[in-house]
Amino acid sequence: MANTLKQIIEDKKESLILIKKNNSLNSLEKKIKNIDFFIDFKKTVEANKGITLISEIKKASPSAGILIKNFNHLDIAKIYIDNGSTCLSVLTEEKYFMGKPDYITDIKKKFKIPILAKDFFIDPYQITLSKSYGSDCILLIIAALNGSQADEIYDEAIKKNLSVIVEVHDKKEAETALKYKKALIGINNRNLKNLEISINNTISIFETVKNHQGPIISESGIKNENDVKYIYDKTGIKNFLIGESLLTSNDPAGLIKKIIQINQ
């Protein structure tokens, strides 16, 4: 299989050229000043005593294709929030995940919940762009960036008072992530280069990041409450980012309730 991540990054570079032409940093800063619904994502996760569920909203993915035909981001957000999700992850990448940054604005205008902008951040400009839509947290994917790029994006996000999830997939990336002291660390169970999944990835990498000061999150490939309990029992991790299992479930409300009851 071709390197999916590499292709997404190349396309992101192209799309950013047009976005930058149409949206000056100055205009984005003005937009941010008029937003009054920012919430501290990291503090919300830290304050939650039980299982923290970051529920994901997306229409499609490169690995699964179209997940929901009659997609309505507000309806999905309502189900997630009504049943106990702590935060939301909203895909804003348009080509591969059929996301839109406007989804964040729409949800934030209706609901009071912290939102991660799930995208491929390769340029500090995207921090201001993302915040201008109301995002509270951004994703920094170590595998997508060289060291100086990651540092620049992280520094810009912290400067803009956004939380940062630094996403890792192997022990080398996990070691790199430890230098981002104010970040949350997300362990991705999906290899973004070949899209293979194993929830044991969280368990094998946990030892490297267990002393990190911020929250640790297990991401991707988590099918049900049994997977959550397995990871929780092996590591003590209580923060989970789950998307496809909820989006394709016949009873997402019931699944959320089962998951958040794991350590009660």
Side-chain angles (χ1 to χ4, degrees):
M1 183 181 283
N3 188 325
T4 307
L5 179 61
K6 187 178 178 183
Q7 188 58 55
I8 292 172
I9 297 303
E10 288 305 311
D11 290 340
K12 178 60 67 175
K13 287 176 186 174
E14 287 295 316
S15 67
L16 271 176
I17 293 169
L18 184 60
I19 292 169
K20 283 183 174 183
K21 273 185 185 175
N22 295 330
N23 301 274
S24 70
L25 273 173
N26 191 42
S27 69
L28 296 176
E29 293 284 8
K30 285 180 180 175
K31 199 174 162 190
I32 289 168
K33 285 177 182 175
N34 292 320
I35 296 174
D36 62 359
F37 46 59
F38 293 113
I39 307 168
D40 192 315
F41 189 101
K42 183 185 175 188
K43 278 188 180 172
T44 302
V45 172
E46 288 175 329
N48 190 43
K49 300 304 180 191
I51 294 290
T52 296
L53 184 56
I54 304 164
S55 300
E56 190 155 274
I57 297 174
K58 60 185 173 187
K59 184 175 181 179
S61 76
S63 58
I66 301 285
L67 292 162
I68 299 179
K69 287 182 181 175
N70 300 316
F71 178 85
N72 184 305
H73 54 292
L74 289 172
D75 288 348
I76 297 166
K78 188 173 190 316
I79 291 169
Y80 287 167
I81 294 162
D82 285 352
N83 291 284
S85 296
T86 306
C87 305
L88 300 182
S89 167
V90 177
L91 261 294
T92 58
E93 194 282 327
E94 300 196 5
K95 182 174 179 180
Y96 293 87
F97 293 86
M98 298 187 181
K100 290 181 182 176
D102 291 314
Y103 291 161
I104 293 177
T105 313
D106 294 345
I107 295 167
K108 284 301 247 352
K109 283 179 176 175
K110 197 165 182 181
F111 303 103
K112 188 176 173 61
I113 191 164
I115 296 182
L116 161 69
K118 191 85 175 285
D119 211 317
F120 297 82
F121 287 82
I122 57 170
D123 186 321
Y125 168 88
Q126 291 170 275
I127 301 299
T128 308
L129 178 67
S130 181
K131 185 161 184 174
S132 76
Y133 285 97
S135 64
D136 305 295
C137 183
I138 64 103
L139 188 71
L140 196 162
I141 303 172
I142 293 291
L145 303 161
N146 65 40
S148 62
Q149 282 178 315
D151 291 349
E152 284 178 25
I153 291 167
Y154 172 80
D155 290 343
E156 184 65 18
I158 297 300
K159 193 170 99 180
K160 288 280 195 299
N161 294 316
L162 288 172
S163 297
V164 180
I165 295 177
V166 177
E167 184 175 281
V168 303
H169 180 266
D170 59 34
K171 289 182 181 178
K172 186 178 178 185
E173 291 172 6
E175 287 166 3
T176 300
L178 291 172
K179 71 176 178 176
Y180 302 113
K181 302 292 185 187
K182 295 181 180 178
L184 306 90
I185 292 180
I187 303 174
N188 197 342
N189 297 310
R190 177 181 283 113
N191 184 324
L192 292 177
K193 294 176 181 175
N194 59 25
L195 304 182
E196 291 177 359
I197 294 173
S198 170
I199 61 169
N200 283 307
N201 204 44
T202 290
I203 291 148
S204 65
I205 290 175
F206 176 70
E207 198 62 29
T208 305
V209 298
K210 67 180 182 182
N211 293 323
H212 178 65
Q213 294 168 2
I216 311 295
I217 304 163
S218 181
E219 309 173 5
S220 299
I222 299 162
K223 294 185 177 65
N224 50 43
E225 69 276 13
N226 295 327
D227 284 352
V228 169
K229 188 173 189 313
Y230 175 74
I231 293 168
Y232 176 74
D233 286 347
K234 294 278 186 183
T235 65
I237 289 173
K238 66 181 190 67
N239 310 304
F240 298 87
L241 193 155
I242 304 177
E244 289 178 20
S245 300
L246 292 175
L247 292 163
T248 57
S249 172
N250 292 325
D251 182 19
L255 181 54
I256 292 168
K257 286 173 182 171
K258 285 176 184 174
I259 288 168
I260 63 177
Q261 287 168 1
I262 290 296
N263 71 337
Q264 289 180 359

